[in-house]
Amino acid sequence: MKRNTILFTGLAAAVFAIGIARATDAPAPAAPPQAAAPDSKRQPSPVEQRAAHTTADHSKFKELQQDFKTGPDVTKACLTCHTEAGKQIMKTKHWTWEWLNPENNQLLGKRHVINNFCTAVPSNYAFCTACHVGYGWRDDKFDFTNEGNVDCLVCHDTTGSYRKLPGFAGNPPYQPVELPPKSGKMVPAVDLKNVAQHVGVTSRATCGACHFLGGGGDAVKHGDLDTSLKNPKRYLDVHMDANGLNFSCGTCHATKGHNIPGSRYTPTAKDTVQTHIRGKVDTSNPSTCQSCHGLKPHKDNSIVTAKLNEHTDKLACQTCHIPQFARGNIATKMTWDWSTAGQLKDGKPFTIKGSSGHDEYASIKGNFTYESDVVPEYQWINGKVKYTLLGDPINVDGVTEINHYYGGPDEQSRIWPVKVFRGKQPFDLETKSLLVPHTAVGYGEKDDSAFWQNFKWDAALKAGADAVGRPFGGKFSFARTEMTWPITHMVAPKEDALTCTQCHSKHGRLQNVGGIYMPGRDGKPWLDTIGWLAALATLIGVIGHGGLRIYLTTKRG
């Protein structure tokens, strides 16, 4: 039980974060349409907005008027009407956590990639699958063909009370749970009947319950996705502004058959489709800026906007229109050093908090750094990506790129803003490849090989290697790694976009981006000298000419 307490100290933090994402400012329950008072200045309430997009009050359905014991029981009821939904979900990356890249035949997806946050899913299923759209995935024997395992509620809850806990293999709590053990803090059971009767369209809150909290906490992973986007102001995101356009995630990531477009595995670096027209057959990515704004987004036909439109040949829209990320008063994690994890005080794990309130050190994870209002790094991206997968050789003496985005000054590439996450993580000294640590176990379980219970790297790495079928000779060290995340959310209003001099200067934002000539940044010393001499000669000529005219005019007078 002592070891369980150690594990669920970390788990409780994750549960608290998930609870914040689901419960704070949660979307109101779906309701039948109601007549609103005629007031053109009043913003419709969440209930009214949701009601305008539904033709059904699920609380009246007989199939949902029962006390459900489990999530799959709810799914069974949902499928009596939504007969094809389960089959559709099971064809998506959100279900399989798997995707084959046709460019290089790399098998990707959460089941196969390795990162420099919590590193990998295998051997940690019960913990990680709290963000899976299914129930019961606790090991590599999960049945991906059973549509009864599909979780409808995780995306369609509108009550804000539905939550899935790390360590529960994708299940919500069916009974009140004490978390951490012996803490006296109880997580209530989910009222499945109430949630099922109040399902509705997806929202920023439902998508954000996983995507805002990726990597184990609020704003940890992405940098441009965190709980500040649940009800943002215009300055934070001009599209998601809760009192303005109020876009949900699905507004841009327009879904067909539950397949959600937009992917970091296959980013659309350059979109050549001017606009998406309703009713027109279109297989391109609807989540790009160009799909709404077209290929010439600056519209007033002035000389300035013509020059700005020329910039779209080399720049992604996000480069100018997302000046910083993590700018919603929530810091994002920028570094993670696993090599320092496992330190104990008096035989017990501990944490050290910095002045900002974030953990600077935790025994279960190591050292971290956080930043707010982060200026992105910039690089060419053409949409092609290669990952460093298990078994691939790494750069032992330098930095290993977890994912490499290709691109250069060619027709298919654009300069993009990115978050580069830097870490240190374990690798095998014999195979010179990255290792998967076995860190977490299911709620109430004991496992002496789990790092968060025994703090022994050799046992945790051996268990992780066994889980993925990789050899491990017992000798390991820690490698420096970098992982790149293109930035595409937190779009600022146009008045807050970058100014010309923020890039066109010697030490501007694009100073490290090669392959392109930029006035104000680039130049030859000898050419600059000639230019300054010419300017000086011109100035002397003007002054001399003016002085001579004044002299002659005075003499004549």
Side-chain angles (χ1 to χ4, degrees):
M1 185 60 72
K2 181 178 179 181
R3 287 176 175 168
N4 286 345
T5 302
I6 293 172
L7 165 61
F8 284 101
T9 299
L11 188 150
V15 170
F16 176 75
I18 291 177
I20 291 293
R22 302 308 290 263
T24 306
D25 297 324
Q34 299 177 1
D39 183 356
S40 60
K41 296 182 179 180
R42 185 178 67 86
Q43 178 72 17
S45 71
V47 172
E48 293 167 340
Q49 293 181 44
R50 192 156 280 104
H53 293 86
T54 184
T55 59
D57 179 359
H58 285 75
S59 66
K60 296 179 180 179
F61 289 0
K62 181 180 178 180
E63 291 83 356
L64 302 181
Q65 294 174 358
Q66 57 178 297
D67 294 323
F68 298 101
K69 293 182 179 180
T70 68
D73 292 339
V74 178
T75 299
K76 181 178 179 181
C78 295
L79 294 178
T80 59
C81 290
H82 302 278
T83 58
E84 305 307 305
K87 300 179 182 65
Q88 292 174 352
I89 284 287
M90 291 192 295
K91 295 177 181 178
T92 69
K93 293 189 291 288
H94 275 78
W95 173 257
T96 63
W97 280 10
E98 183 175 87
W99 183 77
L100 182 66
N101 188 340
E103 292 283 347
N104 53 25
N105 291 318
Q106 281 195 314
L107 190 59
L108 306 176
K110 288 182 180 292
R111 291 163 66 184
H112 304 287
V113 299
I114 191 166
N115 59 54
N116 53 2
F117 292 86
C118 290
T119 68
V121 172
S123 79
N124 305 301
Y125 292 108
F127 204 88
C128 297
T129 55
C131 275
H132 183 239
V133 292
Y135 299 112
W137 188 358
R138 65 176 56 257
D139 53 37
D140 58 2
K141 298 179 179 60
F142 178 71
D143 186 0
F144 287 94
T145 65
N146 182 1
E147 60 183 318
N149 287 335
V150 171
D151 184 353
C152 306
L153 302 181
V154 71
C155 295
H156 294 285
D157 168 45
T158 67
T159 68
S161 65
Y162 186 79
R163 65 187 66 177
K164 309 213 307 179
L165 306 181
F168 283 71
N171 291 298
Y174 299 130
Q175 302 293 333
V177 176
E178 185 179 24
L179 203 63
K182 292 187 176 182
S183 66
K185 299 178 181 179
M186 302 299 295
V187 177
V190 170
D191 186 342
L192 294 173
K193 179 180 179 180
N194 180 60
V195 176
Q197 290 183 354
H198 294 91
V199 293
V201 297
T202 61
S203 64
R204 293 191 297 269
T206 53
C207 297
C210 285
H211 291 284
F212 293 166
L213 305 172
D218 196 359
V220 165
K221 184 179 289 185
H222 298 283
D224 61 341
L225 288 172
D226 58 45
T227 54
S228 68
L229 290 174
K230 288 177 57 184
N231 289 291
K233 302 296 184 182
R234 184 173 181 270
Y235 76 88
L236 181 57
D237 193 287
V238 70
H239 300 112
M240 294 189 238
D241 175 14
N243 294 314
L245 295 173
N246 199 29
F247 281 13
S248 70
C249 303
T251 305
C252 292
H253 297 274
T255 304
K256 295 180 181 179
H258 285 92
N259 187 37
I260 301 173
S263 171
R264 297 180 190 276
Y265 298 133
T266 54
T268 303
K270 171 192 174 184
D271 192 355
T272 58
V273 177
Q274 293 206 24
T275 53
H276 283 247
I277 301 174
R278 184 170 54 188
K280 180 183 176 182
V281 176
D282 193 340
T283 59
S284 63
N285 183 2
S287 64
T288 66
C289 300
Q290 290 83 359
S291 66
C292 283
H293 295 283
L295 301 180
K296 294 183 178 181
H298 309 92
K299 299 298 185 183
D300 65 8
N301 295 320
S302 67
I303 296 176
V304 173
T305 54
K307 178 56 66 175
L308 291 176
N309 283 331
E310 288 182 11
H311 280 62
T312 63
D313 290 342
K314 298 298 181 184
L315 300 179
C317 300
Q318 292 87 337
T319 297
C320 291
H321 290 277
I322 306 180
Q324 295 93 21
F325 58 87
R327 53 193 186 87
N329 295 320
I330 301 176
T332 186
K333 190 176 287 187
M334 296 298 292
T335 65
W336 186 332
D337 184 354
W338 275 100
S339 70
T340 62
Q343 300 176 29
L344 304 175
K345 285 185 177 180
D346 299 323
K348 297 179 180 179
F350 65 96
T351 60
I352 300 174
K353 289 189 178 296
S355 58
S356 64
H358 291 286
D359 289 349
E360 289 186 350
Y361 177 81
S363 295
I364 63 173
K365 296 181 179 179
N367 285 95
F368 322 107
T369 61
Y370 288 82
E371 293 181 30
S372 297
D373 299 307
V374 185
V375 173
E377 297 182 42
Y378 299 90
Q379 67 178 68
W380 291 103
I381 294 179
N382 63 12
K384 297 182 179 181
V385 189
K386 183 178 181 180
Y387 274 73
T388 298
L389 301 176
L390 293 174
D392 291 345
I394 65 168
N395 186 347
V396 175
D397 299 319
V399 177
T400 295
E401 290 182 295
I402 296 292
N403 58 343
H404 177 78
Y405 285 86
Y406 291 92
D410 54 65
E411 182 63 24
Q412 300 304 317
S413 300
R414 296 291 181 272
I415 299 171
W416 277 75
V418 298
K419 171 185 175 179
V420 180
F421 188 80
R422 294 175 169 90
K424 289 185 72 174
Q425 59 195 109
F427 75 96
D428 190 318
L429 282 170
E430 293 185 5
T431 63
K432 303 295 190 298
S433 60
L434 295 173
L435 290 166
V436 171
H438 174 39
T439 55
V441 299
Y443 180 79
E445 298 177 4
K446 292 183 178 181
D447 186 344
D448 287 338
S449 66
F451 186 76
W452 291 352
Q453 290 194 359
N454 64 20
F455 298 99
K456 296 178 180 178
W457 275 116
D458 52 354
L461 294 174
K462 177 64 167 62
D466 290 344
V468 295
R470 294 289 306 165
F472 176 55
K475 297 181 180 180
F476 65 94
S477 186
F478 293 85
R480 290 185 295 148
T481 57
E482 292 182 353
M483 192 167 187
T484 300
W485 298 84
I487 297 298
T488 192
H489 305 95
M490 295 188 174
V491 179
K494 61 182 180 181
E495 57 267 23
D496 294 334
L498 295 185
T499 61
C500 301
T501 55
Q502 286 178 281
C503 293
H504 291 277
S505 61
K506 289 291 185 182
H507 302 289
R509 294 195 175 209
L510 303 185
Q511 62 177 314
N512 296 321
V513 178
I516 186 173
Y517 177 82
M518 289 183 58
R521 185 195 73 171
D522 302 318
K524 301 288 185 182
W526 62 268
L527 187 60
D528 290 343
T529 300
I530 292 175
W532 282 113
L533 289 174
L536 179 61
T538 301
L539 178 62
I540 293 173
V542 170
I543 293 174
H545 177 74
L548 182 61
R549 292 192 57 134
I550 293 172
Y551 169 76
L552 293 176
T553 300
T554 303
K555 184 177 181 180
R556 188 181 301 114

